[in-house]
Amino acid sequence: MKGILFTEFLDLVEDKYGLEMVDKIITSSKLESEGVYTAVGTYEFSEMLQLLQHLSTNTGISIDDLLLVYAEHFFDVLKQNYPELLAAYKDPVEMLASIENHIHVEVKKIYPDAELPTFDVLKKTKKSLVMIYKSSRAMHHFGLGLMNKTFEHFNATADIVVEKLRDDGTEVKFVINKN
Ligand code: HEM
């Protein structure tokens, strides 16, 4: 997992819960990195999972809800760092339908070692989209947060239904209807 996800995550934890919480979740995890991350580095996903688990235990907030809030913050980071990728789109449905064959393709060019999910489009109309998310990392709620923010970015809203196709969350169906 790319370092930018760790640095931004820990910044957000510090903003919301203070430096003590950052310290607490780092020291209670077994981290090869020892909790020292750079934005351009690459680290084990298991480190993120441990940090999330400990934050969840300490706050009583589920990992899915933490990922949702984190993704909403991360969208602003993406907007600042990759404005040209977002500028290619005028419509949220078009943008989300293009994650797989444009946005994440570009991400892979920038970071060849990025570990990205797949989003297969099953059905698309002007105002709706059905996609299957697949990833061993089961970060579907991170995806949901980015989707919510994508609609907000275009001054739109949508109903998004998340249906697990596998219990472990590694395969999830998103049914998106723009309002
Ligand atoms: C992961 C970039 C838009 C869904 C990532 C990662 C990067 C990235 C750098 C981390 C890869 C790693 O750690 O190895 C971008 C950029 C975007 C964008 C630059 C737009 C400018 C989106 C959108 C979605 C999305 C709109 C909406 C669903 C995800 C998910 C992951 C991810 C779910 C987590 C990894 C996983 O589930 O396996 N993206 N992304 N991304 N991205 Fe995107």
Side-chain angles (χ1 to χ4, degrees):
M1 172 164 276
K2 295 309 299 175
I4 190 167
L5 276 94
F6 288 89
T7 54
E8 290 297 334
F9 175 72
L10 293 176
D11 280 355
L12 185 66
V13 174
E14 184 181 341
D15 276 0
K16 295 217 183 240
Y17 301 104
L19 206 51
E20 262 176 45
M21 181 65 92
V22 173
D23 204 51
K24 201 169 180 175
I25 63 173
I26 287 177
T27 50
S28 47
S29 302
K30 288 197 180 67
L31 307 172
E32 204 182 309
S33 69
E34 296 179 345
V36 181
Y37 302 103
T38 68
V40 292
T42 303
Y43 307 90
E44 289 296 322
F45 172 66
S46 61
E47 298 206 357
M48 178 57 76
L49 205 53
Q50 291 184 69
L51 295 169
L52 282 166
Q53 268 157 357
H54 290 123
L55 185 61
S56 173
T57 310
N58 282 292
T59 58
I61 302 170
S62 70
I63 289 184
D64 279 354
D65 283 345
L66 289 172
L67 279 173
L68 185 73
V69 172
Y70 174 40
E72 294 185 348
H73 163 78
F74 197 70
F75 188 85
D76 293 332
V77 176
L78 293 177
K79 231 160 102 166
Q80 270 170 24
N81 286 284
Y82 309 99
E84 68 290 349
L85 279 180
L86 292 171
Y89 300 96
K90 292 188 189 70
D91 174 85
V93 173
E94 290 299 331
M95 179 171 149
L96 294 177
S98 306
I99 300 169
E100 183 66 20
N101 51 26
H102 172 235
I103 295 178
H104 279 172
V105 174
E106 294 303 314
V107 172
K108 205 68 181 167
K109 288 184 196 163
I110 307 169
Y111 303 120
D113 57 354
E115 297 177 300
L116 297 163
T118 61
F119 281 101
D120 289 334
V121 176
L122 286 192
K123 190 166 176 275
K124 176 177 172 290
T125 70
K126 267 184 91 166
K127 292 184 71 175
S128 73
L129 186 63
V130 180
M131 290 200 290
I132 306 289
Y133 162 92
K134 284 188 199 161
S135 167
S136 61
R137 290 164 292 284
M139 289 177 70
H140 42 85
H141 268 59
F142 187 77
L144 180 61
L146 291 176
M147 290 179 190
N148 286 338
K149 278 289 190 172
T150 300
F151 281 94
E152 196 182 301
H153 174 72
F154 294 100
N155 294 314
T157 57
D159 283 330
I160 304 178
V161 177
V162 183
E163 185 193 325
K164 274 191 188 174
L165 301 181
R166 291 176 68 115
D167 282 346
D168 64 4
T170 55
E171 254 183 75
V172 169
K173 188 194 231 179
F174 284 95
V175 180
I176 303 164
N177 280 292
K178 188 178 170 191
N179 294 312

